[in-house]
Amino acid sequence: DMKTLGSLAKVPPMLEPVVQALEVLLNLPAKNWLAVRRTLTGPQFISKIRALDLGSITAGQFRKLRKMLLDEAFDDGVERYAAGADLLATWCRAVGRYLAIERFPGGPPIPLGTLASLTATPPATRPEVPETPPVRQAVPKRASKDTVQPARSPDSYLVFEPDIFALSENQRAQVRDLTITRPDVGQIVFHGVTDCRGIDFDEVVQFEIGEVNVYPDTDMKPAVGVELNKRATVRMYQCFPPGGPSIADDPQAAEAYRSKIRQMTEKKEAIFIDYDCATGVWECEVDHF
């Protein structure tokens, strides 16, 4: 089946999301169908996907994969275009759901998609598929602020101060110094007054160890100064040096690593505030995202 798929001279548009997901997971060159074809038709392809080390998948890879899998059209009818395409899509989705549960919890759950058909098989032969809460409907990108409640998925990992979900509509329109925290990972304080109506926070605010991403989908990013695209103080936790917090015992080495963090901060066009090797806390300020 994989050889049939790999024999195509050009990837059909409907299969592009599946091919892109494969590129992400196997670290293949992006948008290089020739490289994908060689992989699919190679004698070691099945062994390669079986041996994939899920512990080596980075947060960046997962974010790309999740974005693809959240698209309802990801694996819709792919079996009609090439034999084996549906199996490949199912594998990508199963990997994505595992990563969402075991490695990168929080955020919108990945739907079953093609995996849904497998759940109808008898228990004795049913593949093990991790369970996640039902998929919530995403808030439209530019829905009316007067009618949309703030969205929070059942498994949301974000903590808000003040709790915007307990505020009235008028109060949500004028939230001062909104603070969003992912415990043990990071925190953002949005300075001034923020209109929180109609924002899908699980979608537009993402925390990973050593990284904070606001509006990862640039199509959803508003003008500077609007909603969350504004001045903010960012604090990240567990940002320890490669050798661990013990480097703090060597003042010279600690200061050298602190200088490296300062350079990294300024390279991202942010304002460095502080970094502590012993606690792993990295703090900076941005004018906007």
Side-chain angles (χ1 to χ4, degrees), residues 64 96 99 187 255 275 284:
K64 292 178 182 179
L99 293 172
Q187 180 185 83
E255 183 56 34
Y275 173 73
C284 62

Side-chain angles (χ1 to χ4, degrees), residues 67 138-145 148 197-200 203-204 215 217-222 227:
K67 183 176 179 180
V139 176
K141 291 182 180 180
R142 287 290 170 243
S144 169
K145 288 181 176 292
V148 177
R197 296 174 299 172
I199 299 177
D200 185 342
E203 190 71 22
V204 303
Y215 296 111
D217 183 351
T218 55
D219 291 337
M220 299 179 67
K221 184 183 296 187
E227 295 182 354

Side-chain angles (χ1 to χ4, degrees), residues 39-191:
T39 300
L40 289 172
T41 57
Q44 302 301 318
F45 175 66
I46 299 300
S47 298
K48 188 170 185 177
I49 62 174
R50 284 177 176 171
L52 178 65
D53 180 9
L54 298 181
S56 68
I57 301 296
T58 66
Q61 285 176 285
F62 174 68
R63 283 196 297 271
K64 292 178 182 179
L65 178 65
R66 179 169 60 185
K67 183 176 179 180
M68 298 173 195
L69 296 178
L70 289 176
D71 186 344
E72 295 181 357
F74 174 76
D75 48 15
D76 185 22
V78 293
E79 72 280 355
R80 300 194 301 268
Y81 291 87
D86 55 335
L87 300 178
L88 199 58
T90 299
W91 177 76
C92 291
R93 190 175 289 280
V95 170
R97 284 172 59 84
Y98 170 85
L99 293 172
I101 294 171
E102 300 296 332
R103 292 282 319 283
F104 308 103
I110 295 174
L112 282 169
T114 50
L115 289 172
S117 61
L118 299 179
T119 61
T121 58
T125 60
R126 182 186 303 163
E128 293 185 4
V129 179
E131 293 295 328
T132 59
V135 181
R136 63 175 167 82
Q137 296 297 317
V139 176
K141 291 182 180 180
R142 287 290 170 243
S144 169
K145 288 181 176 292
D146 297 328
T147 59
V148 177
Q149 298 290 325
R152 174 165 59 182
S153 63
D155 61 343
S156 178
Y157 55 79
L158 302 179
V159 178
F160 297 83
E161 177 62 38
D163 184 356
I164 60 172
F165 302 96
L167 300 180
S168 68
E169 181 177 320
N170 289 337
Q171 290 172 325
R172 289 195 302 272
Q174 302 180 63
V175 179
R176 181 170 295 278
D177 294 335
L178 171 68
T179 301
I180 303 178
T181 303
R182 179 177 180 183
D184 300 322
V185 178
Q187 180 185 83
I188 309 176
V189 179
F190 296 92
H191 299 294

